[in-house]
Protein backbone atom coordinates (compact mmCIF):
# COMPACT_ATOMS: atom_id res chain seq x y z
CA UNK A 1 0.00 0.00 0.00
CA UNK A 2 1.08 3.57 -0.60
CA UNK A 3 -0.19 7.10 -0.22
CA UNK A 4 0.54 10.59 1.07
CA UNK A 5 -0.06 11.79 4.61
CA UNK A 6 -0.11 15.48 5.52
CA UNK A 7 0.21 16.47 9.17
CA UNK A 8 -0.71 20.09 9.92
CA UNK A 9 0.45 22.04 12.95
CA UNK A 10 3.34 23.48 14.92
CA UNK A 11 6.73 21.92 15.53
CA UNK A 12 8.63 23.52 18.43
CA UNK A 13 11.99 23.44 20.12
CA UNK A 14 11.72 20.99 23.01
CA UNK A 15 13.83 21.33 26.16
CA UNK A 16 13.64 18.21 28.33
CA UNK A 17 15.44 17.12 31.53
CA UNK A 18 18.80 15.45 30.91
CA UNK A 19 20.27 15.08 34.39
CA UNK A 20 21.18 17.51 37.14
CA UNK A 21 20.93 21.08 35.85
CA UNK A 22 21.06 19.85 32.25
CA UNK A 23 18.53 20.12 29.42
CA UNK A 24 18.34 18.22 26.14
CA UNK A 25 17.24 20.11 23.03
CA UNK A 26 14.99 18.44 20.52
CA UNK A 27 12.16 19.27 18.15
CA UNK A 28 8.58 18.18 18.77
CA UNK A 29 4.92 19.17 18.75
CA UNK A 30 1.74 17.11 18.82
CA UNK A 31 0.92 16.72 15.13
CA UNK A 32 4.62 16.59 14.25
CA UNK A 33 5.14 13.83 16.83
CA UNK A 34 2.41 11.80 15.14
CA UNK A 35 4.02 12.39 11.73
CA UNK A 36 7.43 11.35 13.09
CA UNK A 37 6.10 8.09 14.55
CA UNK A 38 4.07 7.40 11.41
CA UNK A 39 7.36 7.61 9.51
CA UNK A 40 8.80 4.94 11.86
CA UNK A 41 5.82 2.65 11.40
CA UNK A 42 4.97 2.90 7.71
CA UNK A 43 6.95 1.61 4.72
CA UNK A 44 8.80 4.08 2.50
CA UNK A 45 6.04 3.81 -0.09
CA UNK A 46 4.09 6.19 2.16
CA UNK A 47 5.03 9.86 1.77
CA UNK A 48 4.70 11.91 4.94
CA UNK A 49 4.71 15.71 4.72
CA UNK A 50 4.44 18.43 7.32
CA UNK A 51 2.41 21.59 6.64
CA UNK A 52 3.43 24.50 8.84
CA UNK A 53 5.56 27.65 8.93
CA UNK A 54 8.94 28.50 10.47
CA UNK A 55 11.28 31.47 10.52
CA UNK A 56 14.37 32.23 8.48
CA UNK A 57 16.81 32.00 11.37
CA UNK A 58 19.36 29.36 12.36
CA UNK A 59 17.09 27.42 14.71
CA UNK A 60 14.44 27.21 11.97
CA UNK A 61 17.10 25.89 9.59
CA UNK A 62 18.04 23.24 12.14
CA UNK A 63 14.39 22.25 12.63
CA UNK A 64 13.89 21.80 8.89
CA UNK A 65 17.10 19.80 8.72
CA UNK A 66 15.81 17.51 11.46
CA UNK A 67 12.54 17.00 9.60
CA UNK A 68 14.36 16.09 6.40
CA UNK A 69 16.70 13.70 8.21
CA UNK A 70 13.62 12.07 9.75
CA UNK A 71 12.15 11.40 6.31
CA UNK A 72 9.40 14.01 6.58
CA UNK A 73 8.76 16.30 3.63
CA UNK A 74 9.08 20.06 4.19
CA UNK A 75 8.02 21.41 0.80
CA UNK A 76 4.89 22.86 2.44
CA UNK A 77 6.59 24.49 5.43
CA UNK A 78 6.56 28.23 4.73
CA UNK A 79 9.48 30.47 5.72
CA UNK A 80 8.77 33.86 7.32
CA UNK A 81 11.25 36.65 7.96
CA UNK A 82 9.08 38.21 10.70
CA UNK A 83 8.87 35.15 13.00
CA UNK A 84 10.75 32.17 14.39
CA UNK A 85 9.77 28.86 16.02
CA UNK A 86 8.16 28.30 19.41
CA UNK A 87 9.85 26.59 22.35
CA UNK A 88 8.67 24.62 25.38
CA UNK A 89 10.21 23.20 28.53
CA UNK A 90 9.15 19.84 29.99
CA UNK A 91 9.02 19.54 33.78
CA UNK A 92 8.55 16.02 35.15
CA UNK A 93 7.18 14.77 38.46
CA UNK A 94 6.63 11.02 38.96
CA UNK A 95 6.51 10.50 35.19
CA UNK A 96 3.80 13.09 34.62
CA UNK A 97 4.76 16.15 32.64
CA UNK A 98 3.92 19.82 32.69
CA UNK A 99 4.97 22.39 30.13
CA UNK A 100 6.16 25.99 29.99
CA UNK A 101 5.80 27.61 26.55
CA UNK A 102 7.36 30.47 24.62
CA UNK A 103 5.45 30.72 21.32
CA UNK A 104 4.33 34.34 20.83
CA UNK A 105 6.63 34.75 17.81
CA UNK A 106 5.92 31.32 16.36
CA UNK A 107 5.66 31.39 12.57
CA UNK A 108 3.24 28.44 12.73
CA UNK A 109 0.55 30.86 13.85
CA UNK A 110 0.48 31.93 10.19
CA UNK A 111 0.28 28.46 8.61
CA UNK A 112 -3.25 29.14 7.30
CA UNK A 113 -2.67 32.68 6.03
CA UNK A 114 -2.53 31.67 2.35
CA UNK A 115 -5.53 29.62 1.11
CA UNK A 116 -3.80 28.75 -2.16
CA UNK A 117 -0.76 27.43 -0.30
CA UNK A 118 -3.01 25.38 1.98
CA UNK A 119 -4.81 23.85 -0.99
CA UNK A 120 -1.51 23.00 -2.65
CA UNK A 121 -0.14 21.41 0.51
CA UNK A 122 -3.24 19.27 1.03
CA UNK A 123 -3.63 18.24 -2.62
CA UNK A 124 -3.41 14.50 -3.17
CA UNK A 125 -3.43 13.59 0.53
CA UNK A 126 -4.79 10.18 1.46
CA UNK A 127 -4.84 11.21 5.13
CA UNK A 128 -4.76 14.61 6.86
CA UNK A 129 -3.81 14.72 10.55
CA UNK A 130 -4.27 17.74 12.80
CA UNK A 131 -5.35 18.72 16.31
CA UNK A 132 -7.04 21.15 18.61
CA UNK A 133 -3.65 22.71 19.26
CA UNK A 134 -3.28 23.38 15.53
CA UNK A 135 -6.53 25.35 15.70
CA UNK A 136 -5.76 27.05 19.02
CA UNK A 137 -2.65 28.86 17.79
CA UNK A 138 -4.53 30.45 14.87
CA UNK A 139 -6.73 33.53 14.75
CA UNK A 140 -10.45 32.89 14.37
CA UNK A 141 -10.62 33.59 10.65
CA UNK A 142 -7.60 31.36 10.02
CA UNK A 143 -9.22 28.52 11.97
CA UNK A 144 -12.20 28.71 9.66
CA UNK A 145 -9.90 28.79 6.65
CA UNK A 146 -7.98 25.72 7.81
CA UNK A 147 -11.10 23.68 8.54
CA UNK A 148 -12.58 24.68 5.19
CA UNK A 149 -9.40 23.76 3.30
CA UNK A 150 -9.21 20.39 5.05
CA UNK A 151 -12.91 19.81 4.31
CA UNK A 152 -12.24 20.47 0.64
CA UNK A 153 -9.38 17.96 0.70
CA UNK A 154 -11.78 15.49 2.33
CA UNK A 155 -14.29 16.07 -0.46
CA UNK A 156 -11.52 15.15 -2.89
CA UNK A 157 -10.97 11.82 -1.14
CA UNK A 158 -8.69 12.45 1.84
CA UNK A 159 -9.53 10.89 5.20
CA UNK A 160 -9.25 13.32 8.11
CA UNK A 161 -7.97 12.33 11.55
CA UNK A 162 -8.48 14.90 14.31
CA UNK A 163 -7.20 14.81 17.89
CA UNK A 164 -9.07 17.38 20.05
CA UNK A 165 -5.96 17.75 22.26
CA UNK A 166 -7.52 20.39 24.50
CA UNK A 167 -5.14 22.96 25.98
CA UNK A 168 -7.27 25.58 27.73
CA UNK A 169 -4.42 28.02 28.22
CA UNK A 170 -4.20 28.47 24.43
CA UNK A 171 -7.84 29.50 24.09
CA UNK A 172 -9.74 32.67 24.94
CA UNK A 173 -12.25 30.68 26.98
CA UNK A 174 -13.78 27.21 27.25
CA UNK A 175 -16.88 27.86 25.07
CA UNK A 176 -14.65 29.10 22.24
CA UNK A 177 -12.47 26.02 22.53
CA UNK A 178 -15.45 23.68 22.45
CA UNK A 179 -16.97 25.49 19.48
CA UNK A 180 -13.90 25.08 17.28
CA UNK A 181 -13.08 21.54 18.38
CA UNK A 182 -16.62 20.46 17.61
CA UNK A 183 -16.51 22.28 14.26
CA UNK A 184 -13.40 20.30 13.32
CA UNK A 185 -14.78 17.01 14.67
CA UNK A 186 -17.96 17.33 12.60
CA UNK A 187 -15.82 17.35 9.47
CA UNK A 188 -13.48 14.50 10.41
CA UNK A 189 -13.51 10.79 9.65
CA UNK A 190 -11.56 9.74 12.75
CA UNK A 191 -11.58 11.54 16.09
CA UNK A 192 -9.03 10.54 18.72
CA UNK A 193 -9.95 12.22 22.04
CA UNK A 194 -8.44 11.64 25.48
CA UNK A 195 -10.97 10.83 28.18
CA UNK A 196 -9.31 12.90 30.92
CA UNK A 197 -9.78 16.01 28.77
CA UNK A 198 -13.30 15.12 27.70
CA UNK A 199 -14.52 14.51 31.24
CA UNK A 200 -12.92 17.75 32.44
CA UNK A 201 -14.04 19.98 29.58
CA UNK A 202 -17.26 18.38 28.37
CA UNK A 203 -18.31 16.65 31.58
CA UNK A 204 -18.48 13.17 30.05
CA UNK A 205 -18.95 10.63 32.88
CA UNK A 206 -17.61 7.69 30.84
CA UNK A 207 -15.67 6.94 27.67
CA UNK A 208 -18.90 5.59 26.23
CA UNK A 209 -20.47 9.02 26.76
CA UNK A 210 -17.59 10.61 24.86
CA UNK A 211 -18.14 8.21 21.97
CA UNK A 212 -21.87 8.92 21.98
CA UNK A 213 -21.26 12.68 21.89
CA UNK A 214 -18.91 12.51 18.91
CA UNK A 215 -21.17 10.01 17.15
CA UNK A 216 -23.93 12.57 17.58
CA UNK A 217 -21.76 14.99 15.59
CA UNK A 218 -21.65 12.48 12.73
CA UNK A 219 -18.12 11.16 13.32
CA UNK A 220 -17.86 7.64 11.83
CA UNK A 221 -14.86 6.46 13.88
CA UNK A 222 -14.08 7.50 17.47
CA UNK A 223 -11.20 6.18 19.58
CA UNK A 224 -11.11 7.33 23.21
CA UNK A 225 -7.68 7.11 24.81
CA UNK A 226 -7.69 6.69 28.58
CA UNK A 227 -4.15 6.69 29.88
CA UNK A 228 -3.43 3.27 31.36
CA UNK A 229 -7.14 2.44 31.41
CA UNK A 230 -9.30 0.67 28.87
CA UNK A 231 -9.46 2.21 25.40
CA UNK A 232 -12.90 2.33 23.86
CA UNK A 233 -13.66 2.76 20.19
CA UNK A 234 -16.53 2.89 17.72
CA UNK A 235 -16.42 2.19 13.98
CA UNK A 236 -19.97 0.95 13.50
CA UNK A 237 -19.66 -1.34 16.48
CA UNK A 238 -18.25 -0.94 19.98
CA UNK A 239 -14.73 -2.07 20.94
CA UNK A 240 -12.87 -2.25 24.24
CA UNK A 241 -9.12 -2.80 24.56
CA UNK A 242 -7.08 -3.00 27.77
CA UNK A 243 -3.41 -2.09 27.20
CA UNK A 244 -0.53 -3.71 29.05
CA UNK A 245 0.46 -1.69 32.11
CA UNK A 246 3.71 0.22 31.68
CA UNK A 247 5.75 2.24 34.16
CA UNK A 248 5.85 5.80 32.80
CA UNK A 249 9.17 7.64 32.85
CA UNK A 250 7.78 10.52 30.76
CA UNK A 251 4.24 10.62 29.38
CA UNK A 252 5.10 13.28 26.78
CA UNK A 253 3.75 12.28 23.34
CA UNK A 254 1.89 9.25 24.71
CA UNK A 255 -1.29 10.24 22.88
CA UNK A 256 0.54 11.42 19.76
CA UNK A 257 2.40 8.13 19.43
CA UNK A 258 -0.78 6.13 20.09
CA UNK A 259 -2.38 8.05 17.22
CA UNK A 260 0.53 7.14 14.95
CA UNK A 261 0.51 3.46 15.84
CA UNK A 262 -3.25 3.26 15.44
CA UNK A 263 -3.34 5.14 12.13
CA UNK A 264 -0.38 3.23 10.67
CA UNK A 265 -2.17 -0.05 11.38
CA UNK A 266 -5.46 1.30 10.01
CA UNK A 267 -3.82 2.45 6.78
CA UNK A 268 -2.35 -1.02 6.32
CA UNK A 269 -5.73 -2.71 6.60
CA UNK A 270 -5.66 -4.01 10.19
CA UNK A 271 -8.86 -4.67 12.10
CA UNK A 272 -9.85 -2.46 15.01
CA UNK A 273 -8.43 -4.74 17.72
CA UNK A 274 -5.02 -4.82 16.04
CA UNK A 275 -5.10 -1.06 15.42
CA UNK A 276 -5.75 -0.43 19.13
CA UNK A 277 -3.08 -2.95 20.08
CA UNK A 278 -0.46 -1.32 17.86
CA UNK A 279 -1.35 2.15 19.07
CA UNK A 280 -1.09 1.10 22.72
CA UNK A 281 2.14 -0.83 22.11
CA UNK A 282 3.82 2.17 20.50
CA UNK A 283 2.69 4.53 23.25
CA UNK A 284 3.95 1.99 25.81
CA UNK A 285 7.43 2.19 24.32
CA UNK A 286 7.43 5.98 24.19
CA UNK A 287 6.48 6.59 27.83
CA UNK A 288 9.39 4.46 29.05
CA UNK A 289 11.90 7.03 27.79
CA UNK A 290 12.29 10.79 28.30
CA UNK A 291 11.23 13.26 25.61
CA UNK A 292 8.62 13.29 22.88
CA UNK A 293 10.56 11.52 20.13
CA UNK A 294 12.39 8.34 21.11
CA UNK A 295 13.74 5.28 19.33
CA UNK A 296 11.08 2.59 18.91
CA UNK A 297 10.97 -0.88 17.41
Amino acid sequence: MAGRIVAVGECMVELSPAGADLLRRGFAGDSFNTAWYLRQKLPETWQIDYLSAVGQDAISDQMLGFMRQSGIGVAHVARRSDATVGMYLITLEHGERSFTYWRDKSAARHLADDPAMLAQGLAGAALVVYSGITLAILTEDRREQLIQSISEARARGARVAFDPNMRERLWQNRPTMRHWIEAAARRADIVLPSFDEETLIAGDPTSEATIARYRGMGVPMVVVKNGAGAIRAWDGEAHRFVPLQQRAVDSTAAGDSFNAGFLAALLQGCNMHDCLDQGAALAGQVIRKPGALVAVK
Side-chain angles (χ1 to χ4, degrees), residues 255-272:
D256 308 330
S257 56
F258 173 91
N259 294 350
F262 175 86
L263 292 170
L266 187 69
L267 291 169
Q268 296 179 94
C270 292
N271 62 38
M272 178 60 78

Side-chain angles (χ1 to χ4, degrees), residues 145 169 203 227 285:
Q145 179 61 65
R169 72 178 70 181
Q285 291 187 62

Side-chain angles (χ1 to χ4, degrees), residues 4-9 47-54 64 67 72-79 111 116-123:
R4 177 171 179 258
I5 299 170
V6 180
V8 185
Q47 178 182 344
I48 301 175
D49 292 336
Y50 202 56
L51 194 161
S52 187
V54 299
L64 290 178
M67 291 182 183
I72 296 173
V74 299
H76 303 289
V77 178
R79 308 282 318 250
L111 66 84
M117 181 178 165
L118 272 180
Q120 183 180 24
L122 295 168

Side-chain angles (χ1 to χ4, degrees), residues 38-238:
L38 279 166
R39 181 70 285 160
Q40 312 310 304
K41 288 298 178 178
L42 286 171
E44 291 300 320
T45 51
W46 284 91
Q47 178 182 344
I48 301 175
D49 292 336
Y50 202 56
L51 194 161
S52 187
V54 299
Q56 296 182 0
D57 51 356
I59 193 66
S60 297
D61 291 341
Q62 292 165 20
M63 178 180 287
L64 290 178
F66 175 75
M67 291 182 183
R68 294 188 188 98
Q69 291 168 11
S70 301
I72 296 173
V74 299
H76 303 289
V77 178
R79 308 282 318 250
R80 296 183 62 95
S81 61
D82 59 347
T84 181
V85 293
M87 180 172 67
Y88 70 94
L89 170 68
I90 299 173
T91 303
L92 292 171
E93 185 174 354
H94 307 302
E96 290 301 319
R97 80 278 196 228
S98 60
F99 302 101
T100 304
Y101 291 96
W102 297 268
R103 69 195 329 160
D104 288 347
K105 296 294 184 180
S106 173
R109 292 181 176 272
H110 302 280
L111 66 84
D113 282 8
D114 186 340
M117 181 178 165
L118 272 180
Q120 183 180 24
L122 295 168
L127 177 70
V128 179
V129 180
Y130 74 123
S131 77
I133 293 176
T134 308
L135 294 173
I137 65 172
L138 305 179
T139 60
E140 188 162 307
D141 60 332
R142 298 301 189 254
R143 290 173 194 151
E144 184 60 49
Q145 179 61 65
L146 179 61
I147 292 173
Q148 180 61 34
S149 295
I150 291 174
S151 296
E152 291 168 0
R154 187 185 184 209
R156 295 191 297 269
R159 297 174 82 178
V160 176
F162 176 70
D163 184 338
N165 223 349
M166 300 180 194
R167 298 291 184 270
E168 280 197 88
R169 72 178 70 181
L170 296 178
W171 294 91
Q172 179 183 1
N173 52 53
R174 188 172 289 187
T176 299
M177 177 176 67
R178 287 195 61 179
H179 166 79
W180 286 105
I181 284 174
E182 290 179 6
R186 291 179 191 279
R187 287 178 271 186
D189 300 286
I190 307 160
V191 173
L192 298 146
S194 295
F195 179 63
D196 60 342
E197 296 173 356
E198 301 293 332
T199 191
L200 175 66
I201 304 301
D204 294 342
T206 63
S207 295
E208 292 91 338
T210 297
I211 288 174
R213 189 163 48 80
Y214 282 110
R215 284 182 62 196
M217 299 176 204
V219 181
M221 183 181 294
V222 185
V223 180
V224 184
K225 296 164 285 188
N226 192 19
I231 303 163
R232 296 187 184 271
W234 174 267
D235 63 351
E237 59 180 285

